[in-house]
Amino acid sequence: MNKKNLFMIALAAGAMVLSSCASKKELESCRLENKELTANYQDTKEQLAASRARVTSLEEQLEAQKKAYAALQRSLDQSLTNSSQNNISIEKLVDQINESNQYIRHLVEVKSKSDSLNLVLQNNLLRSLSNDEKKEVDVQVLKGVVYISLADNMLYKSGSYEISERASVTLSKIAKIIMDYKDYDVLIEGNTDDVPITRQNIRNNWDLSCLRASSVVQALQNDYGVDPKRLTAGGRGEYNPLTTNSTEMGRQRNRRTQIIITPKLDQFMDLIDHAPDGD
């Protein structure tokens, strides 16, 4: 066989190897793209579910207001019927209605202000997060409460409740938002999947979820100066899942820590103290 033939055979063999490599790269690229699309699809489904929940909440509030109005109307009709018997003047009844309406308007104003502050808080936090952080941090406002959900593989060292180094930057951004909104209380809530824990000195998933929440609370207090009087740590173990635990992706989503930011309870108590007296 002459040199020319040998050269042609070698060239053909090289082309086949390169083609095989290219096919493997394309296959791996397709797999990665499919995985990313699957994750995006899951996120979209959850965002849709959250939106539906918000619509349901608004519908419930509207229905409650309709019932309150109907009850007020019935009270007015009854009062007018019994006014002669109870010696209640029309002027006094009108004053009572005006006082009730003023209180209702006050409640609406307070709720509107709270909702606006929550949306500003959410937007400020989202703007401070990098694109990579947004993949592992979910921020939502539901029923007047801000929920910040953090994946456990970002927050903690593997199989542990110790805060990882790469979580420090994200926690510092969240701590700054918490410090800016001093009239809000903060609940840190740990959640796990349903796989039993087998580590020494950790009895079960209840322990693990509480320890993880406590680690975040202490980091916010000791590393970032958040007032501990505003902080509460709690664990819900495996009993508050977002989705099924039958798949690895589902278990991964259920392993999370939530930072829940709410208006202080005494603000609501002040509203109750100022409620109008009814006869």
Side-chain angles (χ1 to χ4, degrees):
M1 184 178 293
N2 57 35
K3 294 183 177 180
K4 182 177 181 180
N5 290 337
L6 288 174
F7 175 76
M8 293 301 292
I9 292 173
L11 184 62
M16 291 177 64
V17 171
L18 290 175
S19 175
S20 175
C21 292
S23 297
K24 289 181 179 179
K25 289 181 179 179
E26 291 175 357
L27 178 59
E28 182 61 24
S29 175
C30 289
R31 288 176 177 170
L32 292 175
E33 184 177 358
N34 181 63
K35 182 177 181 181
E36 183 176 355
L37 288 173
T38 300
N40 290 339
Y41 172 70
Q42 185 66 26
D43 289 341
T44 302
K45 285 178 62 179
E46 291 174 3
Q47 291 175 14
L48 177 59
S51 298
R52 288 175 175 170
R54 287 194 287 272
V55 170
T56 299
S57 174
L58 291 172
E59 290 175 345
E60 291 173 352
Q61 293 177 35
L62 178 60
E63 186 63 27
Q65 291 178 357
K66 288 181 178 178
K67 291 180 179 178
Y69 177 79
L72 184 61
Q73 187 64 48
R74 288 194 298 271
S75 176
L76 175 60
D77 294 341
Q78 185 65 33
S79 296
L80 289 173
T81 301
N82 299 332
S83 59
S84 58
Q85 300 175 358
N86 298 328
N87 197 27
I88 299 176
S89 67
I90 296 298
E91 291 80 6
K92 182 178 179 181
L93 183 60
V94 170
D95 289 341
Q96 291 175 352
I97 294 174
N98 289 336
E99 185 178 358
S100 297
N101 288 337
Q102 183 177 1
Y103 178 64
I104 291 173
R105 286 194 296 270
H106 177 60
L107 287 179
V108 171
E109 290 173 0
V110 170
K111 183 180 183 302
S112 177
K113 181 180 179 181
S114 176
D115 290 344
S116 298
L117 286 173
N118 287 340
L119 290 174
V120 171
L121 187 157
Q122 179 190 31
N123 291 332
N124 288 344
L125 178 56
L126 287 174
R127 281 199 300 267
S128 71
L129 297 176
S130 67
N131 289 333
D132 288 339
E133 287 174 319
K134 289 177 182 178
K135 295 177 182 178
E136 298 177 303
V137 180
D138 181 46
V139 186
Q140 294 188 29
V141 177
L142 297 174
K143 297 184 179 181
V145 178
V146 180
Y147 291 85
I148 306 172
S149 185
L150 303 101
D152 75 318
N153 59 346
M154 183 272 289
L155 262 183
Y156 311 106
K157 297 178 181 179
S158 179
S160 171
Y161 55 85
E162 295 182 24
I163 302 294
S164 67
E165 294 180 1
R166 76 188 188 100
S168 300
V169 175
T170 304
L171 280 179
S172 68
K173 295 175 181 179
I174 295 174
K176 183 181 184 306
I177 295 295
I178 293 173
M179 297 282 282
D180 289 342
Y181 291 82
K182 299 185 182 299
D183 292 332
Y184 284 68
D185 283 330
V186 183
L187 168 63
I188 314 299
E189 180 184 275
N191 295 270
T192 70
D193 57 27
D194 63 351
V195 178
I197 186 72
T198 57
R199 284 197 58 187
Q200 187 177 6
N201 299 326
I202 301 180
R203 294 171 295 181
N204 49 42
N205 284 330
W206 277 114
D207 278 1
L208 179 60
S209 63
C210 292
L211 287 168
R212 286 183 166 179
S214 179
S215 292
V216 174
V217 162
Q218 293 179 67
L220 291 174
Q221 174 189 354
N222 299 328
D223 299 338
Y224 307 110
V226 178
D227 184 355
K229 294 179 181 178
R230 300 173 56 195
L231 301 173
T232 301
R236 302 190 68 176
E238 64 202 64
Y239 302 105
N240 184 38
L242 287 175
T243 184
T244 178
N245 279 304
S246 61
T247 65
E248 175 54 36
M249 181 175 290
R251 290 190 293 272
Q252 182 178 345
R253 293 190 61 80
N254 290 332
R255 296 191 301 268
R256 69 200 187 281
T257 296
Q258 289 187 304
I259 299 177
I260 304 171
I261 304 176
T262 63
K264 290 183 179 293
L265 182 60
D266 56 7
Q267 294 178 356
F268 292 106
M269 298 306 297
D270 288 342
L271 290 178
I272 295 176
D273 291 341
H274 290 89
D277 294 329
D279 291 339

